[in-house]
Amino acid sequence: MALTPKGYATHSLQAEEKLNSKRKEKAWLPVIGMKLEISTPFLGVHRPFVGRCCQICTPRSWESLFHKHLLSLGFHNAIRVTEEDTRYRGWLVRRLCHFLAISNWKIPSSSPGDFEKKICHSKRVQDVMLQQVPQARGDSPILSQSPAGWRSEVLQVLSQVQAPISLLLVRLCSWALLKVLTRLFHNVLLHKGQVEMVRKAAQVPDVPLVFLSTHKSCLDGLLLPFLLFSQGLGVPRVTWEYQAFTPPLRALLSQLGGIFLPLEAEHVADRNQGALSRAVLTSYAEELLKSRQHLLIFLEKPFSSAPHLSAPGWDWLALVLGAFQAGAVPDVLLVPVGISYDMAPDVCFGSQASSARPLSFWSCLLPICRALGQGFGCVRVDFAQPFSLQEYVANNCSRQSCIRKSLEELLLPVVFGKRTSLMDCEKSEEGLLGLRAAVALKAEEQILVGRLGLHSLTAGVSCSAVTAVGIMSALLLHKHREGVFLSRLMSDFAWLTEEILLHQRDVAFSGQLRALVLHSLTLLRGCVSLHQLSLGDVLVAPQATEPAMRQLSLHGAALLPIFMAEAVGACAINALLVEMLPFLGPTALPADIILSQQELQEKTLVLVQLLPRDFLLLQPCQPAFCYCQDVLDKLIQCGLLVAEEASSERPACDTSRRRFSGELMWKETGEFSDDSDYDEDSGKRCFKISQLDNCFDFFLFLCSLLSPVLRTYERAAAFLAESCCPQPEPAYTEKLQGILLRKAREDGSFECVNRSMAVSSVRTFKELGVLQELPTPAGPKLYLSESFSLRENQESLKKFIQQFIYC
């Protein structure tokens, strides 16, 4: 079933919305007593243009390369190639249009002819050789006294990084990939306005483009270069992992534009081993950007249910920043990219299970051949607004830093039951430091790379469109886990789609509501069970098996970044309710409890500090306290919280019988004063949970969205009692993963069995001071800290995390 991208509304959806609007109008007009024009937002009337860059860090970039006419340019199906895309017409052209169109696609000039010579004679490479040649004793195979000897070593390292692009092979593989994509997907959509922005950025003289992409499938490394090639943007250099492929497949990818980090560059920076590889790699990055070749960097690893900046992505981003700071190029334009799949091909899911073994050509080709003709839905690729690296670095270097404390100093007193204020402090940026030593940078430069990566990852995730399968998976996993009627499921699908659009996020589908729901259920046929009832309705229930739950969790995770603020606020409300539960009567309802704004903000801030910034997609330029203010605002905006006023006080909106001359209703504040956004009485305001019928269901849905990561943290805290420390971090993580799998088989919570969340919990516990990494002769090992060697402190940590989980 092909879904056309001509609009986001259907006749059925519009009819439903108009009917609801008329019902509201009939209900309101007799009460108001006047005729009003009621406007209810519905699909198709408002379509957000996603991907604007950060206005705080890059204000000049925010104003450039964007025009309002780009909003109305519509979409383009990149795999629909007809004779209109060629210079010829006729019956034979219609049969050969794919081949003729690809043969006409332009390939800009690649590496210059003296590319290798420039790297061999670069000052950085020669300095390394001058430092290491006198140390050679004749028994070193790496270092030779003759210039021809060390030149061959430099070229050998360079051959591990890249190879010349074969234009014939690029066109041949593009033709084959186009044939495969037309068999796998209904369409691959690009927004014409976003492509036009990228084209204008590519025309800026002497400034290269670097695409910073999310990573949802192993197919991304072939799909994105194909799309850029088809839109006249050339063939970019694509970053791949060296150990992920066998040598023959690695050689093929190199001739298609793939580049790799050499293995020797990952050694510790203060040793001689790997120094030559790092020098060659750094010089290569500088010459690559000088020649204005586009670069594609994947910021995260695939199959991750939580956003996290990967180590290879950090290394390549550090190389780009280092080349800019060395003066190789005057500026670099960074383009975040978001990718959305209805379903990824089976080759991607198969590679997840066998990630320990390198992928060969046949291990990739055979699953793709088996998947041909099955249909994996639609693909949407979004390009965010390009922003200037020069402007970003200048603004970050000039910005004054606030008071920062380690996570241990911030949260450890709270874990042990001591009340402390977190309002005026920020978490230290230890988590933004580099994970490896492929690039030797100072601590300040590493933090700058981490901030840049977090900004780019946030932009890439924010511009990613939400698929129909993602919405359906989230509903089945977090709202209707026990099953739901198809009629109710259609209603919830329309409701959640509208909520996504109201959050200024786009969706990757169009069509009639019933067709969209059936399309999603068809793609998820291995994860759901359908039961025809005698009443004429259909019961839809997710299967409780491990593969089904994992697949639903993987697809449904796309909705968490959209509702992250509301989910954090809902879990904070749950923590306050848990604290008040012992003091309430048996007949008390959540809607009867009054919540103080100050207590709610403090509890929200504790949870924000606990979770990693890359998981929250909290930009470095946004303070945690301001984020908590946004959380409260969104809870009020979505109707989950309502203001509670004392009966003795006049309502806040009542301005009658007030003398404006006696007391102003506002007070003048400075631009940077402490009271500009937060007055002295705001902390005294109180709220109640809304009593509307759908609010409690929405509250449970929000808590369930965040529960997988919180349950992982809770089980990681329970694992401390049986962790058998000391042991290396990889071994500790593997044992924790086994515990998570065992718990999931007991209660069916397979959405918690995710390696990325297990790694995140270990990283957070290290920052919190629960685990300590100490050097040993066999390598660094994890130890339990002295405080958490006690069982009572381990229970305190577990209860601290449990308060945010709705049971």
Side-chain angles (χ1 to χ4, degrees):
M1 179 188 62
L3 302 178
T4 59
K6 294 183 179 180
Y8 286 86
T10 64
H11 296 293
S12 59
L13 283 176
Q14 292 181 11
E16 291 177 20
E17 294 293 346
K18 289 180 180 179
L19 181 59
N20 293 334
S21 178
K22 290 180 180 180
R23 290 175 179 173
K24 293 180 180 179
E25 186 175 357
K26 291 180 180 180
W28 287 4
L29 293 185
V31 178
I32 299 176
M34 59 186 300
K35 188 175 182 179
L36 298 177
E37 181 180 355
I38 300 175
S39 175
T40 303
F42 61 94
L43 304 182
V45 171
H46 174 68
R47 188 187 70 203
F49 188 82
V50 295
R52 299 298 300 272
C53 62
C54 180
Q55 197 172 5
I56 299 176
C57 298
T58 53
R60 288 189 289 107
S61 299
W62 190 83
E63 297 176 354
S64 64
L65 299 174
F66 174 79
H67 300 281
K68 291 185 178 180
H69 78 279
L70 299 178
L71 303 177
S72 58
L73 292 183
F75 291 90
H76 168 64
N77 184 8
I79 61 175
R80 187 177 183 272
V81 178
T82 63
E83 62 176 336
E84 301 293 333
D85 300 298
T86 67
R87 297 178 296 175
Y88 312 99
R89 297 293 182 270
W91 174 83
L92 185 59
V93 174
R94 287 193 292 272
R95 298 297 183 270
L96 302 176
C97 58
H98 288 185
F99 177 78
L100 295 175
I102 292 176
S103 63
N104 292 331
W105 291 351
K106 297 181 180 179
I107 301 180
S109 59
S110 57
S111 305
D114 56 348
F115 192 78
E116 297 178 350
K117 181 179 179 181
K118 289 181 178 180
I119 294 178
C120 293
H121 290 83
S122 64
K123 184 177 183 303
R124 183 175 285 101
V125 174
Q126 290 189 355
D127 288 344
V128 172
M129 297 306 305
L130 290 176
Q131 293 174 5
Q132 294 187 356
V133 167
Q135 302 175 5
R137 296 292 183 267
D139 54 347
S140 175
I142 300 179
L143 303 174
S144 175
Q145 300 290 344
S146 63
W150 64 257
R151 176 182 172 85
S152 64
E153 297 298 332
V154 171
L155 294 180
Q156 181 180 358
V157 174
L158 185 60
S159 64
Q160 297 180 11
V161 178
Q162 64 100 41
I165 296 179
S166 172
L167 303 184
L168 177 61
L169 191 59
V170 166
R171 295 189 186 276
L172 181 61
C173 290
S174 297
W175 174 80
L177 183 61
L178 179 59
K179 292 291 185 181
V180 171
L181 292 177
T182 54
R183 295 290 189 92
L184 292 179
F185 304 108
H186 296 316
N187 51 50
V188 178
L189 298 182
L190 297 174
H191 194 287
K192 295 180 181 179
Q194 297 173 354
V195 176
E196 186 65 24
M197 281 196 310
V198 177
R199 285 201 184 103
K200 291 182 179 180
Q203 295 173 1
V204 178
D206 300 328
V207 177
L209 291 182
V210 176
F211 297 90
L212 306 175
S213 176
T214 58
H215 205 1
K216 302 302 179 184
S217 166
C218 294
L219 194 61
D220 298 343
L222 298 176
L223 176 63
L224 282 179
F226 169 79
L227 295 178
L228 295 175
F229 183 31
S230 66
Q231 301 304 311
L233 295 170
V235 181
R237 289 288 185 171
V238 186
T239 60
W240 297 91
E241 287 197 45
Y242 189 88
Q243 294 179 315
F245 308 98
T246 57
L249 183 55
R250 195 160 54 236
L252 176 63
L253 294 175
S254 297
Q255 295 184 13
L256 295 176
I259 55 178
F260 305 86
L261 287 173
L263 294 178
E264 294 82 1
E266 300 179 11
H267 292 283
V268 181
D270 57 356
R271 297 179 181 175
N272 291 332
Q273 188 177 12
L276 179 60
S277 297
R278 289 190 293 273
V280 173
L281 187 62
T282 305
S283 300
Y284 171 77
E286 294 178 0
E287 295 298 330
L288 180 70
L289 296 179
K290 280 182 182 180
S291 61
R292 297 193 73 246
Q293 296 186 61
H294 302 330
L295 179 62
L296 173 59
I297 300 174
F298 292 106
L299 296 178
E300 57 181 355
K301 290 188 176 182
F303 320 114
S304 176
S305 59
H308 176 57
L309 184 64
S310 65
W314 190 97
D315 286 336
W316 284 110
L317 203 56
L319 287 168
V320 172
L321 180 62
F324 164 74
Q325 291 179 334
V329 287
D331 195 5
V332 177
L333 287 178
L334 305 177
V335 186
V337 183
I339 309 176
S340 304
Y341 292 89
D342 265 339
M343 295 282 287
D346 289 339
V347 60
C348 302
F349 295 104
S351 64
Q352 182 185 15
S354 60
S355 58
R357 296 183 301 173
L359 292 176
S360 64
F361 179 78
W362 294 108
S363 63
C364 294
L365 184 61
L366 292 180
I368 290 181
C369 293
R370 288 196 297 265
L372 291 178
Q374 294 184 11
F376 292 90
C378 309
V379 184
R380 169 81 174 268
V381 178
D382 292 276
F383 298 98
Q385 184 180 9
F387 65 93
S388 168
L389 178 60
Q390 180 187 20
E391 182 184 12
Y392 182 86
V393 172
N395 289 337
N396 272 267
C397 292
S398 61
R399 184 180 299 132
Q400 295 181 356
S401 60
C402 57
I403 300 175
R404 296 189 179 273
K405 294 182 180 180
S406 64
L407 188 62
E408 182 178 358
E409 296 173 328
L410 288 175
L411 288 189
L412 214 54
V414 182
V415 172
F416 293 148
K418 299 178 182 179
R419 189 176 181 86
T420 181
S421 177
L422 305 177
M423 295 295 183
D424 56 346
C425 298
E426 287 288 328
K427 184 167 59 175
S428 63
E429 299 177 307
E430 297 177 357
L432 300 179
L433 297 179
L435 305 177
R436 302 188 303 186
V439 183
L441 296 177
K442 299 178 181 178
E444 297 81 5
E445 295 174 335
Q446 292 185 21
I447 291 177
L448 181 59
V449 173
R451 289 177 179 174
L452 179 60
L454 182 56
H455 255 100
S456 305
L457 182 60
T458 303
V461 174
S462 299
C463 76
S464 301
V466 183
T467 63
V469 172
I471 296 176
M472 182 61 64
S473 300
L475 288 173
L476 294 176
L477 186 63
H478 301 295
K479 191 173 176 65
H480 302 298
R481 194 154 186 164
E482 302 300 326
V484 61
F485 292 120
L486 181 61
S487 56
R488 173 67 185 279
L489 188 61
M490 292 172 60
S491 176
D492 287 347
F493 188 95
W495 159 75
L496 193 53
T497 303
E498 185 176 353
E499 287 291 332
I500 292 171
L501 294 175
L502 290 177
H503 280 70
Q504 298 300 309
R505 295 291 295 272
D506 207 351
V507 291
F509 54 84
S510 65
Q512 294 185 354
L513 177 59
R514 186 178 183 87
L516 289 171
V517 172
L518 296 180
H519 167 77
S520 304
L521 293 176
T522 301
L523 293 177
L524 293 173
R525 54 187 175 272
C527 305
V528 298
S529 300
L530 304 180
H531 305 277
Q532 183 73 37
L533 303 180
S534 58
L535 300 177
D537 210 338
V538 178
L539 179 64
V540 182
Q543 297 181 9
T545 61
E546 178 180 352
M549 288 290 105
R550 285 197 175 189
Q551 191 169 350
L552 290 176
S553 176
L554 187 64
H555 294 301
L559 269 73
L560 180 57
I562 303 174
F563 299 98
M564 179 65 75
E566 290 91 336
V568 169
C571 291
I573 293 174
N574 183 77
L576 289 178
L577 296 178
V578 170
E579 289 183 356
M580 299 178 184
L581 190 61
F583 307 100
L584 301 176
T587 60
L589 298 175
D592 299 330
I593 302 175
I594 299 178
L595 305 175
S596 167
Q597 176 175 341
Q598 182 178 359
E599 293 179 349
L600 183 57
Q601 286 179 332
E602 289 178 353
K603 193 64 70 173
T604 304
L605 190 57
V606 167
L607 183 56
V608 169
Q609 300 288 14
L610 174 67
L611 298 175
R613 293 185 75 99
D614 52 1
F615 174 78
L616 293 170
L617 295 176
L618 180 58
Q619 294 186 349
C621 60
Q622 184 179 16
F625 178 71
C626 293
Y627 182 79
C628 295
Q629 288 285 94
D630 293 341
V631 168
L632 182 59
D633 293 341
K634 290 186 177 182
L635 290 176
I636 299 173
Q637 184 180 4
C638 71
L640 194 58
L641 289 181
V642 293
E644 172 69 15
E645 298 180 357
S647 58
S648 60
E649 296 180 357
R650 185 180 288 109
C653 60
D654 185 12
T655 59
S656 62
R657 299 181 183 180
R658 291 192 182 185
R659 295 183 179 180
F660 287 89
S661 58
E663 180 180 359
L664 294 176
M665 297 179 64
W666 67 89
K667 64 178 181 177
E668 185 178 357
T669 57
E671 181 181 359
F672 299 101
S673 64
D674 295 335
D675 297 331
S676 59
D677 294 323
Y678 183 78
D679 58 12
E680 58 184 6
D681 295 330
S682 63
K684 300 179 181 179
R685 289 184 291 183
C686 297
F687 300 92
K688 276 188 175 182
I689 300 178
S690 176
Q691 298 183 10
L692 297 178
D693 296 337
N694 58 342
C695 282
F696 187 68
D697 292 337
F698 190 41
F699 172 77
L700 297 181
F701 175 74
L702 294 174
C703 291
S704 181
L705 281 177
L706 203 56
S707 64
V709 65
L710 293 176
R711 290 189 183 277
T712 301
Y713 278 43
E714 175 203 5
R715 293 170 182 179
F719 175 65
L720 296 175
E722 48 183 312
S723 57
C724 300
C725 287
Q727 55 184 321
E729 183 173 342
Y732 183 92
T733 306
E734 287 298 329
K735 290 185 179 179
L736 175 60
Q737 186 79 354
I739 293 295
L740 295 176
L741 182 59
R742 187 183 68 187
K743 292 287 185 181
R745 288 172 177 169
E746 295 175 358
D747 57 8
S749 57
F750 292 103
E751 67 272 13
C752 300
V753 185
N754 188 281
R755 183 173 179 81
S756 62
M757 291 193 295
V759 172
S760 175
S761 65
V762 174
R763 182 179 55 161
T764 300
F765 282 7
K766 288 169 63 178
E767 297 179 9
L768 191 57
V770 178
L771 298 173
Q772 295 179 347
E773 190 174 38
L774 300 177
T776 63
K781 292 185 177 182
L782 290 180
Y783 290 78
L784 267 177
S785 64
E786 183 177 353
S787 301
F788 286 92
S789 298
L790 302 176
R791 187 63 180 266
E792 56 181 355
N793 290 343
Q794 296 175 7
E795 289 296 325
S796 298
L797 177 62
K798 183 179 178 181
K799 292 179 180 179
F800 168 75
I801 300 173
Q802 279 179 340
Q803 65 178 329
F804 299 105
I805 305 174
Y806 183 85
C807 299

